Amino acid sequence: EAEVAQSPRYKITEKSQAVAFWCDPISGHATLYWYRQILGQGPELLVQFQDESVVDDSQLPKDRFSAERLKGVDSTLKIQPAELGDSAMYLCASSRGWTENTDTQYFGPGTRLTVL
Amino acid sequence: AQSVTQLGSHVSVSEGALVLLRCNYSSSVPPYLFWYVQYPNQGLQLLLKYTSAATLVKGINGFEAEFKKSETSFHLTKPSAHMSDAAEYFCAVSSYSSASKIIFGSGTRLSIRP
């Protein structure tokens, strides 16, 4: 069964350092999502791509966060500089990109970031 | 704006007992509703979803949920809890006009007592 891949699974960094997370969606999935999940809360959407284009980045803190999906396949989320409040699980999800209600988001295992 | 409220951040039941996790939603348009499960240090897995067809939705692992418009509820149930059901459960909402924009609740941690 195809899965969404993410790396690294765990990342520890010091504040003010740069970090990057990678996501490889399920093959053929046009839509890719990055979520942030703070401990004890539900996931919140940071950015959504349709192929290589950003569809929604309204909740992305653009002063320090950036995301790209250059060839419309895998994606990278970067934080520079990291702050203590960025400690969270970063989840990637993908879907076929259908507009019908049958489209389903499939989640990767996440990257747990700890900022010291 | 859409939102979901999950009643109870932690629910504990005995193995073999009924599981009931509560979710109420708020939406100005007909909603799509979801339940996801998250095991420790893993991503989310879709249990079931309601998209305006049958109001009683059956999902994986023996779970089901009923959409009640009059009560704005979408509670998750399972007749008999198993130890492997211990996890975090998230209720979520989206809509036809923005089907991909899913808003998650804060989650309910389910513990199973032997």
Side-chain angles (χ1 to χ4, degrees):
Chain A
E1 180 177 299
E3 296 180 342
V4 176
Q6 290 189 248
S7 67
R9 291 293 310 275
Y10 303 91
K11 178 70 177 179
I12 300 174
T13 190
E14 294 185 345
K15 64 179 181 179
S16 79
Q17 296 298 305
V19 293
F21 313 130
W22 177 79
C23 172
D24 192 13
I26 294 172
S27 178
H29 279 196
T31 308
L32 185 146
Y33 312 79
W34 283 102
Y35 289 87
R36 177 171 59 186
Q37 184 180 19
I38 296 171
L39 190 64
Q41 299 181 21
E44 293 181 296
L45 181 68
L46 291 175
V47 61
Q48 177 184 343
F49 289 92
Q50 182 70 23
D51 299 311
E52 68 276 7
S53 300
V54 173
V55 173
D56 183 355
D57 64 356
S58 57
Q59 299 304 310
L60 188 70
K62 299 180 187 62
D63 57 334
R64 298 185 299 108
F65 286 64
S66 64
E68 60 182 17
R69 194 184 183 199
L70 294 177
K71 297 183 179 179
V73 181
D74 59 336
S75 175
T76 301
L77 178 69
K78 297 179 181 178
I79 308 174
Q80 182 174 16
E83 296 181 352
L84 296 177
D86 296 331
S87 294
M89 175 79 89
Y90 290 84
L91 295 164
C92 179
S94 70
S95 69
R96 289 184 174 85
W98 298 341
T99 55
E100 297 86 0
N101 59 26
T102 52
D103 202 22
T104 296
Q105 294 186 28
Y106 296 87
F107 284 79
T111 295
R112 181 166 295 283
L113 173 66
T114 301
V115 182
L116 303 176
Chain B
Q2 297 178 302
S3 66
V4 290
T5 301
Q6 293 185 241
L7 303 175
S9 59
H10 183 209
V11 170
S12 179
V13 302
S14 297
E15 190 174 19
L18 171 71
V19 174
L20 171 60
L21 303 182
R22 300 178 186 273
C23 173
N24 287 91
Y25 70 90
S26 173
S27 179
S28 57
V29 296
Y32 294 162
L33 293 161
F34 310 80
W35 276 99
Y36 284 84
V37 62
Q38 185 177 33
Y39 297 100
N41 292 314
Q42 294 187 27
L44 279 70
Q45 180 182 10
L46 182 66
L47 279 177
L48 51 81
K49 63 180 177 182
Y50 166 78
T51 55
S52 76
T55 57
L56 182 61
V57 183
K58 294 187 183 297
I60 62 173
N61 301 340
F63 285 94
E64 63 181 37
E66 186 173 8
F67 172 70
K68 292 187 176 180
K69 184 177 179 180
S70 61
E71 299 177 7
T72 61
S73 69
F74 191 58
H75 301 332
L76 181 71
T77 61
K78 182 174 180 178
S80 177
H82 192 274
M83 296 300 291
S84 61
D85 295 326
E88 189 90 15
Y89 291 80
F90 293 94
C91 182
V93 63
S94 71
S95 69
Y96 176 81
S97 59
S98 58
S100 64
K101 181 114 180 170
I102 297 179
I103 308 299
F104 289 87
S106 56
T108 296
R109 183 163 61 92
L110 176 64
S111 299
I112 312 296
R113 302 187 300 271

